[in-house]
Amino acid sequence: MDEPRSAAAGTAPTLEDVARVAGVSRATVSRVVNRTRNVDPAIQETVRQAVAAVGYVPNGAARSLITRRSGSVALVASGAGEGQEEEFRTRFFTDPFFSRVVNGVMGFLRPRGMHPVLMLAETEEARAEVIAYLRQRSADGALVVSTHADDPLPEQLVAAGLPAVLFARPARPVPIGFVDLAHQEGARLAADRLVGQGCRRVAVISGPLDIRAARERQDGFLEAMARHGEPLVPTAEGNFTQASGEAAMQRLLLERPDLDGVFAANDLMAQGALHILREHGRRVPEDVRVVGFDDSSAAVASRPALTTVRQPVEEMAAEMARLLLDRIEGRADGPRSAVFDPVLVVRQSG
Amino acid sequence: MDEPRSAAAGTAPTLEDVARVAGVSRATVSRVVNRTRNVDPAIQETVRQAVAAVGYVPNGAARSLITRRSGSVALVASGAGEGQEEEFRTRFFTDPFFSRVVNGVMGFLRPRGMHPVLMLAETEEARAEVIAYLRQRSADGALVVSTHADDPLPEQLVAAGLPAVLFARPARPVPIGFVDLAHQEGARLAADRLVGQGCRRVAVISGPLDIRAARERQDGFLEAMARHGEPLVPTAEGNFTQASGEAAMQRLLLERPDLDGVFAANDLMAQGALHILREHGRRVPEDVRVVGFDDSSAAVASRPALTTVRQPVEEMAAEMARLLLDRIEGRADGPRSAVFDPVLVVRQSG
DNA sequence: TTGAAAGCGCTAACAA
DNA sequence: TTGTTAGCGCTTTCAA
């Protein structure tokens, strides 16, 4: 099998080269390469052979200079801007949540020949870079995973007229698409489960209350408990890390040593709660039932495995990508959104 | 504060527009934007103001058409090609290892204005796509995280003359740069620790032995144990997942119910071992000591926290990126590599 | 130090 | 159905 000589050679072959070899014009080669109709099958074959012979690969820059498409989308991890860059990165990447988003996004993008470019936007400078990146058309749009309610990035994107879709509804009403979960509904599922299993003295480990999802999970849970005739439910705030879940559980145990049920606003914190409960000699689920949230890898990794409220992150991420492409390719008129329903996944802990 | 009118308008402003406003030529604007020397400070200022006034952002495609640089690198998750796409993705993304690589890569790339594009290469088709992506200059080079010894991608990259650096030394000697860990040395650290703590009946949970790193960790451990006068060490093979660690621990316990030490080739499997040991009423570290490998987030997440061999993944990933940029920017002559030293991190489990 | 002009490689009207 | 031609927006000689 002949190796195309040009592969390792100095200059990459261009359309021109293929055209010369095939004995046709550049335009025809372009049509064949881009699968445009209206090309004589015989010529098509000739061109394909010429392409193979010279080892031609279209130049992406030249192509997107004219199509105004880069073939990639920015996948942005956006934060509030208070933290250190490295700490933010580590926190973000350590959480299984982010991996699931990446997974779901790639699943959708890949068959469509598009690729995600990872970006961080936790400082004003970084946000400006993201905006500039999009404005210079290095990416066709942005998928934004935002961690704070007062993140200014969504509004900046809208102001710049850039295609973007968020994971989680924006804090202030902004004309931008998003995917989200019915968090309150999910929390209600957890409350119903705990009560249904006979728990009467339950407590909540919430996420950071400046994150909308965290607040909705807490509110939904408290509301459901109130409906069950339990208006007084102690709460402790964590920050979605396992360590914060441990600390919160400690506080809760001090406040209410006789508790028999815990709802944690994510699995990582639930896992932390499990550790502390065991240290204090509480058996799960016999003495205390624990329900988590997310159904992340942490849910099956812990012992006992977590009963948890499933957030279909991969599907949501895929939908987010779909909404963005619809927008980019002009299929969508205004910003569109999708809200997913949570499901209770019963395992051992609750 | 005036908003640049063109931001949300139909067409983005070009160099031409800036030049007109500033009353200079395109070339001069280009020089100012690209910080080239030899521009009159006064003119420089005028140009900057014009840039701000029209809200100019250079067009990336036009720029890279001529510079032949895209400003991004492919971050490739490469597999052997036997598995299902989705399973591969999920496995890969669930492992904290990948997140750490991304984290380290971004830490290095970001200050240099470069961005990672995520790609998968687990089938021949996907590999071809990666190669094409690089050949069409959509990325300036590739960072490859390979999971199997017989992965053909490294050789394909070399054959195509594309800049690339691997995480982990290639199976067959190929002229390509890589970063790696002294795995055998790390395993020796684990063996010394277990023996030093008085363990006499130890066992190994290895990774998939078709992965070089897994084999080296096992070999290094067995060799060290032999030196300690323990030539017979039972082993069980896992696949680096927690579930496989559990299964392996079950088998080991059956084979050697009186074991008092376990070395697992990664933390996830060690975590699985911990679960099984507890189920069987073995206390860790009192009855059985457990040492993991990696020092990933799983190491601090488990109870007891894992004593483990630290692999500085973030640093290694950053170095991988550095080696690639050196190559891309022509600072490196041939392929260069770096091998890192592991360190024992003592926590509770061993 | 600045400007004029020539392309980088490609796609898309428009003609033939 | 095919070819011709005109740029896309930028960088970079080469002259001035």
Side-chain angles (χ1 to χ4, degrees):
Chain A
M1 195 173 132
D2 283 334
E3 277 305 313
R5 293 139 303 168
S6 21
T11 12
T14 70
L15 263 195
E16 189 72 53
D17 299 322
V18 179
R20 198 178 316 110
V21 171
V24 296
S25 73
R26 289 210 311 271
T28 300
V29 179
S30 174
R31 288 183 187 111
V32 173
V33 171
N34 295 306
R35 298 176 179 61
T36 315
R37 281 163 298 286
N38 303 341
V39 178
D40 184 298
I43 296 199
Q44 237 172 91
E45 188 46 33
T46 316
V47 171
R48 279 191 213 299
Q49 287 181 8
V51 165
V54 302
Y56 171 74
V57 176
N59 179 309
R63 177 177 278 176
S64 54
L65 178 55
I66 191 154
T67 60
R68 284 149 186 295
R69 281 288 178 62
S70 71
S72 60
V73 303
L75 178 50
V76 186
S78 185
E82 7 70 88
Q84 307 305 322
E85 178 206 342
E86 179 159 352
E87 188 202 317
F88 175 78
R89 276 209 324 263
T90 301
R91 165 95 62 88
F92 207 90
F93 289 131
T94 302
D95 198 313
F97 172 76
F98 181 68
S99 303
R100 294 178 70 190
V101 172
V102 173
N103 192 345
V105 165
M106 288 196 78
F108 185 86
L109 250 31
R110 214 147 83 96
R112 290 159 185 80
M114 306 224 18
H115 306 276
V117 179
L118 251 38
M119 304 192 80
L120 259 26
E122 81 291 24
T123 62
E124 193 49 46
E125 189 190 347
R127 280 188 287 274
E129 208 188 305
V130 170
I131 299 280
Y133 193 78
L134 290 160
R135 290 199 52 210
Q136 76 190 24
R137 316 215 57 115
S138 293
D140 301 329
L143 298 168
V144 180
V145 182
S146 196
T147 57
H148 269 77
D150 52 352
D151 183 357
L153 187 61
E155 296 180 45
Q156 293 175 345
L157 288 164
V158 170
L162 296 165
V165 178
L166 311 184
F167 198 107
R169 160 185 272 119
R172 284 174 294 277
V174 172
I176 193 169
F178 60 85
V179 296
D180 205 352
L181 186 79
H183 297 287
Q184 303 226 16
E185 170 65 17
R188 192 178 66 69
L189 258 28
D192 291 354
R193 171 70 185 179
L194 287 173
V195 170
Q197 293 298 99
C199 299
R200 287 295 168 267
R201 297 172 300 282
V202 307
V204 177
I205 300 176
S206 77
L209 295 175
D210 56 343
I211 296 185
R212 181 186 203 113
R215 181 167 288 283
E216 289 184 358
R217 289 176 194 178
Q218 172 174 295
D219 290 352
F221 188 84
L222 295 180
E223 213 168 84
M225 289 308 294
R227 268 203 306 277
H228 283 296
E230 299 287 344
L232 281 90
V233 173
T235 69
E237 186 175 340
N239 69 356
F240 281 149
T241 64
Q242 180 181 321
S244 76
E246 295 176 4
M249 191 69 242
Q250 294 275 22
R251 298 201 297 278
L252 255 15
L253 238 21
L254 239 47
E255 186 178 342
R256 198 116 158 65
D258 63 340
L259 54 76
D260 62 2
V262 175
F263 168 56
N266 80 341
D267 292 338
L268 248 29
M269 294 193 299
Q271 199 177 7
L274 249 31
H275 290 155
I276 298 302
L277 287 169
R278 176 159 46 230
E279 272 178 17
H280 286 256
R282 308 295 209 284
R283 292 166 307 160
V284 176
E286 295 84 350
D287 303 330
V288 180
R289 292 182 179 271
V290 175
V291 174
F293 206 110
D294 277 351
D295 194 25
S296 68
S297 55
V300 279
S302 31
R303 284 309 153 92
L306 286 172
T307 289
T308 188
V309 177
R310 176 165 180 80
Q311 175 173 33
V313 178
E314 292 85 353
E315 290 171 53
M316 293 168 70
E319 177 65 16
M320 173 170 69
R322 198 174 71 70
L323 291 174
L324 182 65
L325 289 207
D326 281 354
R327 168 80 195 282
I328 290 173
E329 289 162 10
R331 278 192 297 279
D333 21 356
R336 291 187 313 169
S337 302
V339 177
F340 286 70
D341 287 322
V343 171
L344 184 77
V345 177
V346 176
R347 294 205 182 84
Q348 286 83 55
S349 75
Chain B
M1 194 174 135
D2 284 333
E3 279 302 314
R5 292 139 302 167
S6 23
T11 12
T14 71
L15 262 194
E16 188 72 53
D17 299 322
V18 179
R20 197 177 317 111
V21 171
V24 296
S25 72
R26 290 209 310 269
T28 300
V29 179
S30 174
R31 289 184 187 110
V32 173
V33 170
N34 295 305
R35 298 172 179 63
T36 316
R37 281 164 300 285
N38 301 340
V39 178
D40 184 300
I43 296 200
Q44 241 173 85
E45 188 46 32
T46 315
V47 171
R48 281 192 211 298
Q49 288 182 7
V51 165
V54 302
Y56 171 74
V57 176
N59 179 308
R63 178 177 278 175
S64 53
L65 178 55
I66 192 154
T67 60
R68 284 153 186 292
R69 282 287 179 64
S70 71
S72 60
V73 303
L75 179 50
V76 187
S78 185
E82 10 69 271
Q84 308 306 321
E85 178 206 340
E86 180 161 350
E87 188 202 318
F88 175 79
R89 273 209 328 260
T90 301
R91 166 95 61 86
F92 207 90
F93 288 130
T94 302
D95 198 312
F97 172 75
F98 181 69
S99 303
R100 295 178 70 189
V101 171
V102 173
N103 193 345
V105 165
M106 288 196 76
F108 185 86
L109 250 31
R110 212 148 83 95
R112 288 159 185 81
M114 307 224 18
H115 306 277
V117 179
L118 250 39
M119 304 191 80
L120 258 26
E122 81 290 24
T123 63
E124 192 50 44
E125 188 191 347
R127 279 188 287 275
E129 206 189 306
V130 170
I131 300 280
Y133 193 79
L134 290 160
R135 291 199 51 212
Q136 74 190 21
R137 316 217 56 117
S138 293
D140 301 329
L143 298 168
V144 180
V145 182
S146 196
T147 58
H148 269 76
D150 50 355
D151 182 358
L153 187 62
E155 296 180 45
Q156 293 176 344
L157 288 164
V158 170
L162 296 165
V165 178
L166 311 184
F167 197 108
R169 161 187 271 120
R172 284 175 295 278
V174 172
I176 193 169
F178 61 84
V179 296
D180 204 352
L181 185 80
H183 297 287
Q184 304 226 16
E185 171 64 18
R188 191 179 66 70
L189 259 26
D192 291 354
R193 171 70 186 179
L194 286 172
V195 170
Q197 293 297 102
C199 299
R200 287 299 168 262
R201 296 172 301 280
V202 307
V204 177
I205 299 177
S206 79
L209 294 175
D210 56 343
I211 295 184
R212 180 185 203 115
R215 182 167 289 283
E216 288 184 358
R217 290 176 194 179
Q218 172 174 293
D219 290 352
F221 188 83
L222 296 179
E223 212 168 85
M225 288 308 293
R227 266 202 308 275
H228 284 294
E230 301 285 345
L232 282 91
V233 173
T235 68
E237 185 175 341
N239 69 356
F240 281 150
T241 63
Q242 180 182 319
S244 77
E246 295 177 4
M249 192 67 243
Q250 294 274 21
R251 299 200 297 279
L252 253 16
L253 237 23
L254 238 46
E255 184 177 343
R256 199 119 160 61
D258 63 339
L259 55 75
D260 62 1
V262 175
F263 168 57
N266 79 342
D267 292 338
L268 248 30
M269 294 194 299
Q271 199 176 7
L274 249 30
H275 289 155
I276 298 302
L277 287 170
R278 177 160 42 228
E279 273 177 18
H280 286 255
R282 308 294 210 285
R283 293 167 305 161
V284 176
E286 295 83 351
D287 304 330
V288 181
R289 291 182 179 270
V290 175
V291 174
F293 206 109
D294 277 350
D295 194 25
S296 68
S297 55
V300 279
S302 34
R303 286 305 153 95
L306 286 172
T307 288
T308 188
V309 178
R310 174 165 182 81
Q311 175 174 31
V313 178
E314 292 86 353
E315 287 171 55
M316 292 168 70
E319 177 65 15
M320 174 169 68
R322 197 174 73 70
L323 291 174
L324 182 64
L325 289 207
D326 282 353
R327 168 81 195 281
I328 290 173
E329 288 162 11
R331 276 193 297 280
D333 21 357
R336 291 188 311 168
S337 302
V339 176
F340 287 71
D341 287 322
V343 171
L344 184 76
V345 178
V346 177
R347 295 205 182 85
Q348 286 84 55
S349 74

Tab-separated table of all heavy atoms in Angstrom, chain A residues 79 81-95 120 122 147-148 239 241, chain B residues 103 107 110:
chain	number	residue	atom	x	y	z
A	79	GLY	N	-17.681	29.758	37.312
A	79	GLY	CA	-17.823	29.912	38.759
A	79	GLY	C	-18.085	31.351	39.112
A	79	GLY	O	-18.309	32.183	38.241
A	81	GLY	N	-16.053	33.488	40.863
A	81	GLY	CA	-14.946	34.413	40.738
A	81	GLY	C	-14.305	34.798	42.040
A	81	GLY	O	-13.465	35.688	42.092
A	82	GLU	N	-14.695	34.123	43.123
A	82	GLU	CA	-14.072	34.491	44.391
A	82	GLU	C	-12.838	33.638	44.663
A	82	GLU	O	-11.908	34.053	45.314
A	82	GLU	CB	-15.033	34.343	45.570
A	82	GLU	CG	-16.362	33.698	45.263
A	82	GLU	CD	-16.250	32.222	44.955
A	82	GLU	OE1	-16.307	31.432	45.900
A	82	GLU	OE2	-16.101	31.850	43.772
A	83	GLY	N	-12.864	32.392	44.152
A	83	GLY	CA	-11.843	31.437	44.551
A	83	GLY	C	-10.540	31.520	43.783
A	83	GLY	O	-10.381	32.284	42.847
A	84	GLN	N	-9.620	30.723	44.219
A	84	GLN	CA	-8.358	30.581	43.513
A	84	GLN	C	-8.617	29.743	42.266
A	84	GLN	O	-9.452	28.851	42.278
A	84	GLN	CB	-7.340	29.831	44.381
A	84	GLN	CG	-7.158	30.420	45.744
A	84	GLN	CD	-6.800	31.889	45.679
A	84	GLN	OE1	-6.056	32.311	44.810
A	84	GLN	NE2	-7.351	32.675	46.585
A	85	GLU	N	-7.859	30.027	41.227
A	85	GLU	CA	-8.056	29.263	40.007
A	85	GLU	C	-7.874	27.771	40.237
A	85	GLU	O	-8.738	26.970	39.915
A	85	GLU	CB	-7.063	29.707	38.932
A	85	GLU	CG	-7.200	28.897	37.673
A	85	GLU	CD	-5.905	28.862	36.866
A	85	GLU	OE1	-5.032	29.715	37.083
A	85	GLU	OE2	-5.785	27.965	36.025
A	86	GLU	N	-6.761	27.417	40.868
A	86	GLU	CA	-6.461	26.000	41.006
A	86	GLU	C	-7.475	25.280	41.873
A	86	GLU	O	-7.912	24.178	41.578
A	86	GLU	CB	-5.057	25.812	41.581
A	86	GLU	CG	-4.745	24.344	41.758
A	86	GLU	CD	-3.259	24.083	41.832
A	86	GLU	OE1	-2.487	25.028	41.598
A	86	GLU	OE2	-2.887	22.934	42.120
A	87	GLU	N	-7.877	25.947	42.937
A	87	GLU	CA	-8.850	25.334	43.830
A	87	GLU	C	-10.160	25.094	43.088
A	87	GLU	O	-10.788	24.046	43.206
A	87	GLU	CB	-9.091	26.251	45.031
A	87	GLU	CG	-9.952	25.604	46.096
A	87	GLU	CD	-10.599	26.660	46.981
A	87	GLU	OE1	-9.898	27.622	47.347
A	87	GLU	OE2	-11.803	26.522	47.267
A	88	PHE	N	-10.544	26.069	42.319
A	88	PHE	CA	-11.781	25.951	41.547
A	88	PHE	C	-11.706	24.761	40.603
A	88	PHE	O	-12.602	23.935	40.544
A	88	PHE	CB	-12.015	27.239	40.757
A	88	PHE	CG	-13.199	27.176	39.830
A	88	PHE	CD1	-14.485	27.321	40.323
A	88	PHE	CD2	-13.019	26.969	38.474
A	88	PHE	CE1	-15.580	27.262	39.466
A	88	PHE	CE2	-14.113	26.903	37.615
A	88	PHE	CZ	-15.387	27.051	38.117
A	89	ARG	N	-10.601	24.704	39.872
A	89	ARG	CA	-10.408	23.601	38.934
A	89	ARG	C	-10.523	22.263	39.637
A	89	ARG	O	-11.214	21.360	39.191
A	89	ARG	CB	-9.021	23.688	38.302
A	89	ARG	CG	-8.896	24.595	37.127
A	89	ARG	CD	-7.795	24.098	36.184
A	89	ARG	NE	-6.665	23.508	36.865
A	89	ARG	CZ	-5.546	24.131	37.157
A	89	ARG	NH1	-5.385	25.388	36.827
A	89	ARG	NH2	-4.571	23.498	37.762
A	90	THR	N	-9.795	22.158	40.752
A	90	THR	CA	-9.749	20.882	41.438
A	90	THR	C	-11.124	20.496	41.954
A	90	THR	O	-11.589	19.383	41.763
A	90	THR	CB	-8.744	20.948	42.589
A	90	THR	OG1	-7.472	21.282	42.041
A	90	THR	CG2	-8.661	19.621	43.306
A	91	ARG	N	-11.792	21.440	42.574
A	91	ARG	CA	-13.112	21.172	43.108
A	91	ARG	C	-14.029	20.697	41.989
A	91	ARG	O	-14.728	19.709	42.089
A	91	ARG	CB	-13.660	22.447	43.730
A	91	ARG	CG	-15.155	22.432	44.022
A	91	ARG	CD	-15.446	22.043	45.432
A	91	ARG	NE	-14.864	22.988	46.357
A	91	ARG	CZ	-15.479	24.104	46.776
A	91	ARG	NH1	-16.677	24.385	46.334
A	91	ARG	NH2	-14.896	24.901	47.632
A	92	PHE	N	-13.965	21.429	40.917
A	92	PHE	CA	-14.851	21.148	39.804
A	92	PHE	C	-14.586	19.779	39.199
A	92	PHE	O	-15.502	19.010	38.935
A	92	PHE	CB	-14.660	22.225	38.743
A	92	PHE	CG	-15.875	22.420	37.905
A	92	PHE	CD1	-16.837	23.343	38.278
A	92	PHE	CD2	-16.074	21.666	36.772
A	92	PHE	CE1	-17.973	23.518	37.521
A	92	PHE	CE2	-17.220	21.845	36.006
A	92	PHE	CZ	-18.171	22.770	36.384
A	93	PHE	N	-13.316	19.508	38.985
A	93	PHE	CA	-12.987	18.266	38.308
A	93	PHE	C	-13.097	17.049	39.206
A	93	PHE	O	-13.219	15.927	38.738
A	93	PHE	CB	-11.587	18.356	37.705
A	93	PHE	CG	-11.524	19.275	36.536
A	93	PHE	CD1	-10.554	20.249	36.437
A	93	PHE	CD2	-12.452	19.167	35.508
A	93	PHE	CE1	-10.509	21.096	35.338
A	93	PHE	CE2	-12.409	20.016	34.411
A	93	PHE	CZ	-11.431	20.978	34.330
A	94	THR	N	-13.017	17.265	40.508
A	94	THR	CA	-13.101	16.140	41.420
A	94	THR	C	-14.535	15.631	41.521
A	94	THR	O	-14.783	14.453	41.745
A	94	THR	CB	-12.593	16.548	42.818
A	94	THR	OG1	-11.256	17.008	42.679
A	94	THR	CG2	-12.636	15.380	43.771
A	95	ASP	N	-15.471	16.519	41.354
A	95	ASP	CA	-16.871	16.139	41.443
A	95	ASP	C	-17.267	15.278	40.245
A	95	ASP	O	-17.035	15.663	39.105
A	95	ASP	CB	-17.723	17.416	41.473
A	95	ASP	CG	-19.110	17.150	41.988
A	95	ASP	OD1	-19.735	16.177	41.531
A	95	ASP	OD2	-19.579	17.911	42.847
A	120	LEU	N	-12.451	27.407	31.326
A	120	LEU	CA	-12.833	27.773	32.683
A	120	LEU	C	-13.219	29.239	32.682
A	120	LEU	O	-12.661	30.024	31.927
A	120	LEU	CB	-11.639	27.581	33.617
A	120	LEU	CG	-11.572	26.350	34.498
A	120	LEU	CD1	-12.337	25.184	33.925
A	120	LEU	CD2	-10.131	25.973	34.752
A	122	GLU	N	-13.835	31.409	35.826
A	122	GLU	CA	-14.075	31.672	37.234
A	122	GLU	C	-13.638	33.078	37.665
A	122	GLU	O	-13.888	33.475	38.788
A	122	GLU	CB	-13.403	30.598	38.095
A	122	GLU	CG	-11.918	30.791	38.346
A	122	GLU	CD	-11.078	30.590	37.112
A	122	GLU	OE1	-11.610	30.743	36.001
A	122	GLU	OE2	-9.873	30.316	37.272
A	147	THR	N	-21.846	27.318	38.467
A	147	THR	CA	-21.963	26.811	39.832
A	147	THR	C	-22.505	27.842	40.804
A	147	THR	O	-22.746	27.521	41.951
A	147	THR	CB	-20.595	26.347	40.353
A	147	THR	OG1	-19.685	27.442	40.270
A	147	THR	CG2	-20.061	25.197	39.524
A	148	HIS	N	-22.676	29.058	40.372
A	148	HIS	CA	-23.152	30.061	41.308
A	148	HIS	C	-24.303	30.880	40.751
A	148	HIS	O	-24.372	31.127	39.551
A	148	HIS	CB	-22.020	31.004	41.707
A	148	HIS	CG	-21.302	30.534	42.913
A	148	HIS	ND1	-20.400	29.511	42.869
A	148	HIS	CD2	-21.394	30.914	44.222
A	148	HIS	CE1	-19.938	29.301	44.086
A	148	HIS	NE2	-20.518	30.129	44.921
A	239	ASN	N	-21.094	22.165	51.164
A	239	ASN	CA	-20.731	22.775	49.880
A	239	ASN	C	-20.587	21.725	48.782
A	239	ASN	O	-19.824	21.893	47.848
A	239	ASN	CB	-19.478	23.624	50.023
A	239	ASN	CG	-18.250	22.775	50.275
A	239	ASN	OD1	-18.353	21.547	50.418
A	239	ASN	ND2	-17.088	23.397	50.318
A	241	THR	N	-19.155	18.918	48.845
A	241	THR	CA	-18.018	17.996	48.943
A	241	THR	C	-18.295	16.975	50.044
A	241	THR	O	-19.097	17.208	50.948
A	241	THR	CB	-16.719	18.719	49.302
A	241	THR	OG1	-16.857	19.295	50.609
A	241	THR	CG2	-16.391	19.817	48.295
B	103	ASN	N	-7.322	18.448	34.566
B	103	ASN	CA	-6.948	19.515	35.484
B	103	ASN	C	-5.506	19.969	35.261
B	103	ASN	O	-5.227	21.165	35.082
B	103	ASN	CB	-7.134	18.987	36.904
B	103	ASN	CG	-7.085	20.081	37.934
B	103	ASN	OD1	-6.645	21.190	37.659
B	103	ASN	ND2	-7.532	19.776	39.135
B	107	GLY	N	-4.200	23.571	33.597
B	107	GLY	CA	-3.366	24.456	34.400
B	107	GLY	C	-2.177	24.969	33.606
B	107	GLY	O	-1.767	26.115	33.740
B	110	ARG	N	-3.661	27.006	29.944
B	110	ARG	CA	-4.451	28.216	30.054
B	110	ARG	C	-3.631	29.502	30.071
B	110	ARG	O	-3.935	30.426	29.302
B	110	ARG	CB	-5.311	28.143	31.302
B	110	ARG	CG	-6.614	28.859	31.111
B	110	ARG	CD	-7.651	28.170	31.908
B	110	ARG	NE	-7.626	28.613	33.281
B	110	ARG	CZ	-8.418	29.575	33.736
B	110	ARG	NH1	-9.221	30.206	32.927
B	110	ARG	NH2	-8.394	29.893	34.992
